[in-house]
PDB file of all heavy atoms in Angstrom:
ATOM      1  N   LEU T  27     -32.896  12.041  -6.632  1.00 97.00           N
ATOM      2  CA  LEU T  27     -32.268  12.480  -7.912  1.00 97.00           C
ATOM      3  C   LEU T  27     -31.756  11.272  -8.721  1.00 97.00           C
ATOM      4  O   LEU T  27     -31.938  11.181  -9.896  1.00 97.00           O
ATOM      5  CB  LEU T  27     -31.022  13.324  -7.559  1.00 97.00           C
ATOM      6  CG  LEU T  27     -31.343  14.798  -7.293  1.00 97.00           C
ATOM      7  CD1 LEU T  27     -30.046  15.574  -6.902  1.00 97.00           C
ATOM      8  CD2 LEU T  27     -31.956  15.517  -8.473  1.00 97.00           C
ATOM      9  N   ILE T  28     -31.060  10.345  -8.031  1.00 96.00           N
ATOM     10  CA  ILE T  28     -30.488   9.221  -8.713  1.00 96.00           C
ATOM     11  C   ILE T  28     -31.614   8.244  -9.199  1.00 96.00           C
ATOM     12  O   ILE T  28     -31.493   7.671 -10.294  1.00 96.00           O
ATOM     13  CB  ILE T  28     -29.386   8.510  -7.957  1.00 96.00           C
ATOM     14  CG1 ILE T  28     -28.636   7.483  -8.800  1.00 96.00           C
ATOM     15  CG2 ILE T  28     -29.978   7.816  -6.750  1.00 96.00           C
ATOM     16  CD1 ILE T  28     -28.054   8.093 -10.053  1.00 96.00           C
ATOM     17  N   ALA T  29     -32.677   8.154  -8.458  1.00 97.00           N
ATOM     18  CA  ALA T  29     -33.773   7.263  -8.957  1.00 97.00           C
ATOM     19  C   ALA T  29     -34.332   7.865 -10.240  1.00 97.00           C
ATOM     20  O   ALA T  29     -34.467   7.085 -11.180  1.00 97.00           O
ATOM     21  CB  ALA T  29     -34.845   7.229  -7.855  1.00 97.00           C
ATOM     22  N   PHE T  30     -34.656   9.123 -10.273  1.00 96.00           N
ATOM     23  CA  PHE T  30     -35.196   9.734 -11.466  1.00 96.00           C
ATOM     24  C   PHE T  30     -34.147   9.741 -12.574  1.00 96.00           C
ATOM     25  O   PHE T  30     -34.424   9.333 -13.726  1.00 96.00           O
ATOM     26  CB  PHE T  30     -35.675  11.158 -11.261  1.00 96.00           C
ATOM     27  CG  PHE T  30     -37.014  11.274 -10.603  1.00 96.00           C
ATOM     28  CD1 PHE T  30     -37.141  11.704  -9.252  1.00 96.00           C
ATOM     29  CD2 PHE T  30     -38.216  10.943 -11.286  1.00 96.00           C
ATOM     30  CE1 PHE T  30     -38.413  11.777  -8.688  1.00 96.00           C
ATOM     31  CE2 PHE T  30     -39.452  11.080 -10.692  1.00 96.00           C
ATOM     32  CZ  PHE T  30     -39.536  11.423  -9.417  1.00 96.00           C
ATOM     33  N   GLY T  31     -32.921  10.119 -12.192  1.00 97.00           N
ATOM     34  CA  GLY T  31     -31.907  10.301 -13.207  1.00 97.00           C
ATOM     35  C   GLY T  31     -31.544   8.963 -13.830  1.00 97.00           C
ATOM     36  O   GLY T  31     -31.441   8.867 -15.024  1.00 97.00           O
ATOM     37  N   ALA T  32     -31.527   7.940 -13.061  1.00 97.00           N
ATOM     38  CA  ALA T  32     -31.119   6.586 -13.552  1.00 97.00           C
ATOM     39  C   ALA T  32     -32.152   6.089 -14.494  1.00 97.00           C
ATOM     40  O   ALA T  32     -31.923   5.624 -15.572  1.00 97.00           O
ATOM     41  CB  ALA T  32     -30.826   5.619 -12.399  1.00 97.00           C
ATOM     42  N   ALA T  33     -33.459   6.222 -13.995  1.00 97.00           N
ATOM     43  CA  ALA T  33     -34.605   5.635 -14.849  1.00 97.00           C
ATOM     44  C   ALA T  33     -34.638   6.397 -16.169  1.00 97.00           C
ATOM     45  O   ALA T  33     -34.630   5.761 -17.244  1.00 97.00           O
ATOM     46  CB  ALA T  33     -35.897   5.800 -14.057  1.00 97.00           C
ATOM     47  N   ALA T  34     -34.685   7.696 -16.103  1.00 98.00           N
ATOM     48  CA  ALA T  34     -34.789   8.507 -17.322  1.00 98.00           C
ATOM     49  C   ALA T  34     -33.544   8.369 -18.193  1.00 98.00           C
ATOM     50  O   ALA T  34     -33.597   8.278 -19.373  1.00 98.00           O
ATOM     51  CB  ALA T  34     -35.054   9.946 -17.019  1.00 98.00           C
ATOM     52  N   GLY T  35     -32.350   8.304 -17.526  1.00 98.00           N
ATOM     53  CA  GLY T  35     -31.145   8.195 -18.257  1.00 98.00           C
ATOM     54  C   GLY T  35     -30.959   6.860 -18.984  1.00 98.00           C
ATOM     55  O   GLY T  35     -30.576   6.935 -20.189  1.00 98.00           O
ATOM     56  N   VAL T  36     -31.310   5.834 -18.410  1.00 97.00           N
ATOM     57  CA  VAL T  36     -31.244   4.541 -19.008  1.00 97.00           C
ATOM     58  C   VAL T  36     -32.268   4.395 -20.149  1.00 97.00           C
ATOM     59  O   VAL T  36     -31.912   3.900 -21.258  1.00 97.00           O
ATOM     60  CB  VAL T  36     -31.371   3.303 -18.010  1.00 97.00           C
ATOM     61  CG1 VAL T  36     -31.470   2.031 -18.738  1.00 97.00           C
ATOM     62  CG2 VAL T  36     -30.204   3.330 -17.077  1.00 97.00           C
ATOM     63  N   ALA T  37     -33.418   4.974 -19.894  1.00 97.00           N
ATOM     64  CA  ALA T  37     -34.440   4.924 -21.020  1.00 97.00           C
ATOM     65  C   ALA T  37     -33.891   5.755 -22.222  1.00 97.00           C
ATOM     66  O   ALA T  37     -34.034   5.300 -23.330  1.00 97.00           O
ATOM     67  CB  ALA T  37     -35.699   5.585 -20.471  1.00 97.00           C
ATOM     68  N   ALA T  38     -33.408   6.941 -21.879  1.00 97.00           N
ATOM     69  CA  ALA T  38     -32.829   7.737 -23.056  1.00 97.00           C
ATOM     70  C   ALA T  38     -31.595   6.957 -23.703  1.00 97.00           C
ATOM     71  O   ALA T  38     -31.455   7.034 -24.932  1.00 97.00           O
ATOM     72  CB  ALA T  38     -32.274   9.081 -22.478  1.00 97.00           C
ATOM     73  N   GLY T  39     -30.871   6.249 -22.875  1.00 97.00           N
ATOM     74  CA  GLY T  39     -29.760   5.502 -23.435  1.00 97.00           C
ATOM     75  C   GLY T  39     -30.201   4.413 -24.358  1.00 97.00           C
ATOM     76  O   GLY T  39     -29.617   4.258 -25.399  1.00 97.00           O
ATOM     77  N   ILE T  40     -31.256   3.728 -23.971  1.00 97.00           N
ATOM     78  CA  ILE T  40     -31.796   2.613 -24.787  1.00 97.00           C
ATOM     79  C   ILE T  40     -32.303   3.244 -26.167  1.00 97.00           C
ATOM     80  O   ILE T  40     -31.993   2.749 -27.218  1.00 97.00           O
ATOM     81  CB  ILE T  40     -32.944   1.871 -24.103  1.00 97.00           C
ATOM     82  CG1 ILE T  40     -32.332   1.133 -22.907  1.00 97.00           C
ATOM     83  CG2 ILE T  40     -33.602   0.920 -25.027  1.00 97.00           C
ATOM     84  CD1 ILE T  40     -33.346   0.419 -22.032  1.00 97.00           C
ATOM     85  N   ALA T  41     -33.014   4.369 -26.033  1.00 97.00           N
ATOM     86  CA  ALA T  41     -33.619   5.046 -27.192  1.00 97.00           C
ATOM     87  C   ALA T  41     -32.378   5.407 -28.114  1.00 97.00           C
ATOM     88  O   ALA T  41     -32.489   5.193 -29.323  1.00 97.00           O
ATOM     89  CB  ALA T  41     -34.395   6.239 -26.904  1.00 97.00           C
TER      90      ALA T  41
END
Side-chain angles (χ1 to χ4, degrees):
Chain T
L27 277 177
I28 189 58
F30 281 110
V36 172
I40 291 173

